[in-house]
Amino acid sequence: MYFCNMKCTNCPRRCATDRERSLGFCHAGTEPEAVTVCVHRGEEPPLCGERGICNIFFAHCNLQCVYCQNHDISRGTLPAAIVPRYVGVDAIVERVAQILPTTENIVGLVSPTHYADSIPAIVEGLHQRGLYPTVVYNTGGYDSVETLRALAPYIDIYLPDFKYSDPVLAARYSHAPDYPQMALAALREMYSQKGSSLPTDERGMAYRGIIVRHLVLPGQVENSLGVADLLADLSPNLHVALMAQYFPTRADLPDQLGRTLTPDEYNRVADHFYEVGLCRGWVQELEAQSCYRPDFTIEEAFEGAAASDPSQALQQDNKTL
């Protein structure tokens, strides 16, 4: 199934922009643009293993979060030092084909929502080359149910953020007051497609399922507690990744976003995730705040970041049968 690319309705904003003539909220054009396609070893353990995942870091984003950790490539107008290296389906497929054999045979589509109409062609292009990787949809969570249903045949693992339970924060930080309801509807659709299990092969690599990420923001513990409640209501068996890696990316951030998390803030949130039954997945050490700072002016954007992921399993055995 392919999408109609004339009037864009890929995400819940449904701005209906004709990308051949103008740019919508995300500033994406008709052709998918990837700032880099590289090996990444900082994802959750069953997604990167020893050899890493082949991540496609798309330019632009449909959320434009004010605190975005990848702000250099997510903003509407890219800074002069950032140039998409791979433009169009063919160029992206060619690059993935070059480096996929050096990885765990997993492809991550990072911030893909605004280019959802190109994903079928990318996956089929790899299949035409005899390449059948596990495909991970690594999204900010602001996805439409219709788009996810169209993508169902092409996606093996969903890796969504669940950023907000508080619509006021969602409006203030991501220009999306309807984020909580839309992200929850999207997650329900992902759950209906994949369930709560995360099956892995003999090497511990996942090949199907969902992992829900939540980044704890400084000064916003109540928002995170609400996220835990919503996830537990959907299913306490979900695999979650509770992230402590927040760091300020700009000097003019609002509220308390100009600092990193405190141990007390993160521990309160982690404890609540346990309390509501969310015990499958991973937590990060606070040292993660200094481990995930990519440099997208170079192709191997995470070359200077930590080689290992400072995360721990929420429970000893996180493989679900």
Side-chain angles (χ1 to χ4, degrees), residues 4 10 25-26 164 186 197 221 228 244 278 288 300:
C4 177
N10 283 351
F25 179 87
C26 66
Y164 309 109
S197 64
V221 167
L278 295 167
E300 299 300 327

Side-chain angles (χ1 to χ4, degrees), residues 146-166:
E146 296 79 10
T147 293
L148 295 173
R149 287 176 179 166
L151 289 175
Y154 304 96
I155 306 301
D156 300 300
I157 297 172
Y158 287 109
L159 184 62
D161 291 338
F162 200 108
K163 297 178 183 290
Y164 309 109
S165 62
D166 183 345

Side-chain angles (χ1 to χ4, degrees), residues 63-145:
L63 277 174
Q64 301 290 313
C65 302
V66 297
Y67 54 82
C68 182
Q69 310 290 274
N70 289 349
H71 70 287
D72 281 342
I73 67 171
S74 66
R75 66 183 72 178
T77 302
L78 301 181
I82 305 296
V83 179
R85 294 176 176 85
Y86 307 99
V87 178
V89 168
D90 291 343
I92 292 171
V93 169
E94 175 66 25
R95 174 59 176 168
V96 171
Q98 290 173 359
I99 66 174
L100 186 65
T102 69
T103 72
E104 297 288 358
N105 198 40
I106 301 179
V107 168
L109 309 167
V110 183
S111 297
T113 303
H114 50 299
Y115 291 127
D117 50 323
S118 297
I119 289 172
I122 291 172
V123 175
E124 290 181 359
L126 292 171
H127 291 176
Q128 290 167 6
R129 291 169 174 260
L131 300 171
Y132 293 86
T134 298
V135 178
V136 178
Y137 190 80
N138 182 343
T139 169
Y142 197 52
D143 297 275
S144 73
V145 170

